[in-house]
Amino acid sequence: AIQLTQSPSSLSASVGDRVTITCRTSQGINRDLAWFQQKPGEAPNLLIFDASDLESGVPSRFSGSGSGTHFTLTISSLQPEDFATYYCQQFNSYPLTFGGGTKVEFK
Amino acid sequence: QVQLQESGPGLVKPSETLSLTCTVSGGSITNYYWSWVRQSPGKGLEWIGYVYYNGRTKYNPSVKSAVTMTVDMSKNQFSLRLRSVTAADSAVYYCARLGRVGELFDYWGQGTLVTVSS
């Protein structure tokens, strides 16, 4: 199975900050990567697919980049509703696998 | 708007079978892949497998020997059975739709907590 390693596992930030989360995969997956946001007590919510395509309805402050084994999720200006946990997920091969998550907390 | 809702017991005894059903509303179960994902503090998010609307399945090797997924098109439902559970199977279980030919988790249920305990 392809392993996904996210860093950092948690970070503290303030409203308006630029935040970058990294996801590295154990083997190349082209651009077959998605990013999810999860708030406490809720299901994950799809933000980005194909490494950089924004899901409909997702604010443009979210962006993704990367290919192969190195990917990033960037929030250009953190908003109060963005404090959550973020997960990357690969769909290049089965079994589908997720990263361990990055918790974005209020500084 | 597609909506998914999990149902089933919240408490299962060790060595018994965990059974959950997901009811899909606002859309047809036809032509899509339907999946189960679980989340526990110790193991994060884990994909369990999928069932296609025609009954074809694919499972995560980590649980393959113990899992069965089925679909009931007449009720717009799909189901999960996990045999011989242990405490390690305690988790929040989500049902989800795998859109774009089985690649993207685009719709999720709210999740249901299942605890394995005697």
Side-chain angles (χ1 to χ4, degrees):
Chain A
I2 297 175
Q3 297 176 29
L4 281 69
T5 304
Q6 286 184 235
S7 60
S9 56
S10 65
L11 64 91
S12 298
S14 300
V15 173
D17 285 353
R18 182 181 182 88
V19 168
T20 298
I21 297 167
T22 297
C23 178
R24 294 184 183 272
T25 60
S26 60
Q27 63 190 70
I29 61 167
N30 300 314
R31 295 174 59 81
D32 299 337
L33 190 98
W35 288 97
F36 293 86
Q37 176 193 68
Q38 187 178 33
K39 297 180 180 179
E42 297 183 5
N45 181 49
L46 179 64
L47 298 176
I48 287 171
F49 59 95
D50 292 346
S52 61
D53 289 351
L54 210 60
E55 175 72 345
S56 176
V58 174
S60 59
R61 62 181 179 272
F62 291 92
S63 64
S65 65
S67 66
T69 62
H70 186 207
F71 302 86
T72 60
L73 171 69
T74 299
I75 309 172
S76 60
S77 177
L78 198 66
Q79 298 302 300
E81 59 269 30
D82 301 337
F83 291 95
T85 301
Y86 295 84
Y87 295 92
C88 55
Q89 177 250 322
Q90 66 81 23
F91 51 89
N92 179 262
S93 66
Y94 289 99
L96 306 178
T97 47
F98 293 85
T102 296
K103 187 173 185 179
V104 177
E105 299 175 298
F106 181 72
K107 184 185 286 184
Chain B
Q1 176 79 350
V2 175
Q3 293 185 312
L4 291 81
Q5 178 66 58
E6 304 89 353
S7 58
L11 181 64
V12 182
K13 290 183 168 55
S15 81
E16 296 191 345
T17 296
L18 180 160
S19 296
L20 296 175
T21 295
C22 184
T23 301
V24 179
S25 58
S28 173
I29 209 164
T30 306
N31 292 327
Y32 283 99
Y33 294 77
W34 303 94
S35 201
W36 292 93
V37 177
R38 65 183 179 182
Q39 185 171 33
S40 59
K43 295 186 74 174
L45 287 161
E46 181 182 29
W47 174 71
I48 299 171
Y50 72 62
V51 57
Y52 193 40
Y53 79 100
N54 65 3
R56 180 165 61 91
T57 57
K58 184 177 272 297
Y59 304 136
N60 192 324
S62 67
V63 295
K64 186 176 182 178
S65 63
V67 69
T68 302
M69 294 182 187
T70 57
V71 63
D72 187 336
M73 291 181 64
S74 68
K75 295 181 179 179
N76 235 34
Q77 293 177 335
F78 61 103
S79 298
L80 167 71
R81 285 173 56 87
L82 186 65
R83 297 177 290 279
S84 305
V85 296
T86 69
D89 295 307
S90 296
V92 175
Y93 284 76
Y94 295 99
C95 58
R97 191 180 83 170
L98 268 173
R100 210 175 74 173
V101 200
E103 291 185 334
L104 297 176
F105 294 105
D106 54 3
Y107 290 97
W108 295 69
Q110 64 184 25
T112 186
L113 175 63
V114 179
T115 302
V116 178
S117 175
S118 55

